[in-house]
Amino acid sequence: MRTQVAIIGAGPSGLLLGQLLTRAGIDNVIVERHTPAYVLGRIRAGVLEQGAVAMLDEAGAGARLHAEGLVHGGIEIAWGGRRHRVDLSALTGGHHVVVYGQTEVTKDLMEARRASGARSVYEAEDASVHGFDGDRPTVRYRHAGTTHELECDYIAGCDGFHGVCRQSVPASAIRNFERVYPFGWLGLLSDTPPVADELIYVLHERGFALCSMRSRTRSRYYLQCSLAEHVEQWPDERFWTELKARLDPATAAGLVTGASLEKSIAPLRSFVAEPLRFGRLFLAGDAGHIVPPTGAKGLNLAASDVRYLFDGLVEHYRHGRSGGLDAYSERALRRIWKAERFSWWMTMLLHRFPDHGPFGERIQQAELDYLFSSKAAQAALAENYVGLPY
Ligand code: RFL
Ligand code: PHB
């Protein structure tokens, strides 16, 4: 089998890149390890920047998002028993974010791909990438007991943090930057109305909490938890009791609880690989970088990587120029590092750090005090939260 661009991974970055390429007349094949149902079962991001929304429109997958997504012009930060609003729209000249689950984004992109007839191989086992330092890269995988080889011009490594693409690059050619945080997020999804109209990020002495949502009838809540804990130790009752303990009394009184649809623990990590291009292999999305979820940037960064990579591929196939592909890694990394900085800062601002001690806590209080006494500080938060320009 032969294609122009072989895409490893059918997460948001692989599906978005594939859809844009197909619409631009560039042949591509997606090779994914899991089943579509498994990919859709992972409950992850919920907040989209306007740039990511525009790309989903360009991919022809934005209709349901516009009909069902919730436009948010602000977020709240609760601390010291009070909720403070950050007016994202007023502080950014009218920008906003859209609350629409990653599951729905993935579903819409899968549907668009199915309708386009582009090729996808799900349940591809032992995928491996070869020859990307030369002119004829290939992807090998097993499917239904048979080994297949896919020849291509380029490989897009959209296979997430644990994927095979980054790991196939010789250690001497790549530099990794990493910070692992000493806690995780325990997430719960429930068919209950959200406790507030906008997201509430909470700093409490018992730890961070986040009140988010997927729709007007479906909520997503998170609690900072220890990495030693397991989901089984968190029956729903315990989760709701702990969440209420981290909310101010008025908000806690308005919380509607119910049975969980899903519960999971995610570790928090900052990670960047440099560069993001190795000959004819390009890394995009979580394959090249990870942010802690506090800034809601992971999925949005996947979209901006795809923007730069797609533009480079179009320039190559339409005009025979390599400038965009040559600049991919540098352009993407400039935006990635700013999102890394913001996500790290939001994480430092809003979590209890077991090793910070009294000095660290006072600095955190001063940072929050400053934030809510300075329009300039709020504007800096707002412009990063709604997304820096591409
Ligand atoms: P994905 O989604 O991990 O998809 C990678 C795909 O590659 C497949 N794969 C392979 N396929 C073939 N062969 C192999 N060897 C393979 N190895 C892996 C995998 O099965 C998978 O289908 O990466 P992608 O596409 O780059 O997308 C990245 C996003 O998923 C991620 O950044 C976000 O979910 C991060 N994130 C958030 N981002 C936001 O922008 N806003 C948010 O509000 C937000 N909240 C979150 C988040 C991530 C979270 N977790 C659990 C990490 C909240 C949480 C709790
Ligand atoms: C979510 O709704 O899953 C979500 C929202 C905002 C974040 C992280 C996760 O910062």
Side-chain angles (χ1 to χ4, degrees):
M1 191 162 45
R2 205 195 133 72
T3 188
Q4 289 174 299
V5 182
I7 300 173
I8 316 295
S13 39
L15 287 166
L16 180 58
L17 177 64
Q19 204 47 31
L20 292 169
L21 289 173
T22 301
R23 284 170 78 97
I26 300 170
D27 192 60
N28 61 93
V29 174
I30 294 185
V31 176
E32 161 65 47
R33 175 163 43 188
H34 291 292
T35 62
Y38 180 93
V39 173
L40 288 171
R42 295 184 298 216
I43 309 296
R44 290 181 166 183
V47 176
L48 296 176
E49 297 171 359
Q50 281 171 281
V53 171
M55 291 197 62
L56 288 162
D57 283 334
E58 196 178 329
R64 201 161 63 92
L65 183 158
H66 288 290
E68 297 175 17
L70 305 173
V71 173
H72 282 199
I75 56 168
E76 293 192 55
I77 295 182
W79 136 81
R82 276 190 55 204
R83 284 161 55 180
H84 308 256
R85 182 164 191 264
V86 180
D87 191 334
L88 299 173
S89 293
L91 290 159
T92 59
H95 289 281
H96 60 253
V97 292
V98 178
V99 174
Y100 189 68
Q102 179 168 330
T103 310
E104 308 309 315
V105 171
T106 308
K107 211 184 275 174
D108 296 346
L109 285 167
M110 278 180 176
E111 180 52 34
R113 187 166 183 89
R114 201 195 49 74
S116 76
R119 290 175 289 173
S120 311
V121 182
Y122 283 90
E123 298 179 81
E125 294 170 65
D126 299 330
S128 56
V129 292
H130 307 272
F132 51 83
D133 48 351
D135 288 341
R136 317 189 93 236
T138 54
V139 176
R140 259 177 244 144
Y141 58 90
R142 268 190 310 115
H143 185 249
T146 314
T147 300
H148 298 263
E149 187 161 284
L150 175 61
E151 292 174 14
C152 57
D153 301 334
Y154 295 103
I155 300 171
C158 300
D159 50 349
F161 182 66
H162 299 287
V164 68
C165 290
R166 192 182 68 252
Q167 286 166 28
S168 304
V169 174
S172 59
I174 194 166
R175 186 162 174 207
N176 296 328
F177 300 82
E178 184 168 38
R179 167 155 305 185
V180 177
Y181 300 88
F183 42 73
W185 278 20
L186 167 66
L188 179 147
L189 187 72
S190 61
D191 272 333
T192 55
V195 69
D197 291 338
E198 293 177 336
L199 272 59
I200 313 176
Y201 290 82
V202 184
L203 172 65
H204 188 273
E205 58 186 33
R206 299 178 69 89
F208 168 85
L210 170 60
C211 306
S212 182
M213 64 191 76
R214 289 292 174 271
S215 69
R216 289 186 211 291
T217 56
R218 182 168 285 189
S219 298
R220 180 71 167 162
Y221 295 103
Y222 295 98
L223 293 173
Q224 176 182 351
C225 67
S226 142
L227 282 172
E229 286 179 289
H230 301 283
V231 187
E232 299 73 43
Q233 294 167 273
W234 284 91
D236 293 357
E237 254 333 288
R238 181 178 173 209
F239 185 99
W240 294 119
T241 305
E242 184 59 34
L243 178 60
K244 281 185 184 165
R246 296 184 192 189
L247 298 174
D248 61 277
T251 308
L255 181 72
V256 180
T257 64
S260 64
L261 303 170
E262 190 264 4
K263 251 183 313 202
S264 52
I265 294 180
L268 268 69
R269 181 196 304 270
S270 298
F271 173 87
V272 183
E274 289 186 4
L276 295 172
R277 179 202 183 159
F278 310 89
R280 288 174 175 263
L281 168 67
F282 296 85
L283 302 180
D286 280 15
H289 44 80
I290 293 285
V291 286
T294 329
K297 287 285 162 261
L299 177 55
N300 292 300
L301 276 184
S304 56
D305 288 358
V306 167
R307 166 89 277 155
Y308 301 132
L309 183 53
F310 171 66
D311 288 349
L313 288 166
V314 167
E315 202 185 310
H316 166 76
Y317 283 111
R318 289 227 180 110
H319 310 293
R321 289 197 302 262
S322 67
L325 290 178
D326 292 341
Y328 168 70
S329 181
E330 194 197 324
R331 287 170 81 191
L333 282 166
R334 280 190 72 186
R335 193 169 191 279
I336 289 160
W337 272 113
K338 286 180 213 129
E340 290 284 344
R341 183 208 69 82
F342 176 66
S343 304
W344 164 84
W345 177 78
M346 284 281 278
T347 303
M348 301 299 284
L349 183 72
L350 294 170
H351 291 77
R352 286 277 296 182
F353 281 77
D355 52 349
H356 269 192
F359 180 82
E361 279 166 31
R362 285 290 193 279
I363 292 290
Q364 195 179 39
Q365 296 295 323
E367 181 97 44
L368 281 158
D369 196 9
Y370 170 60
L371 179 64
F372 289 106
S373 57
S374 162
K375 267 262 147 50
Q378 284 175 48
L381 188 160
E383 76 172 344
N384 281 278
Y385 195 89
V386 300
L388 296 174
Y390 281 16

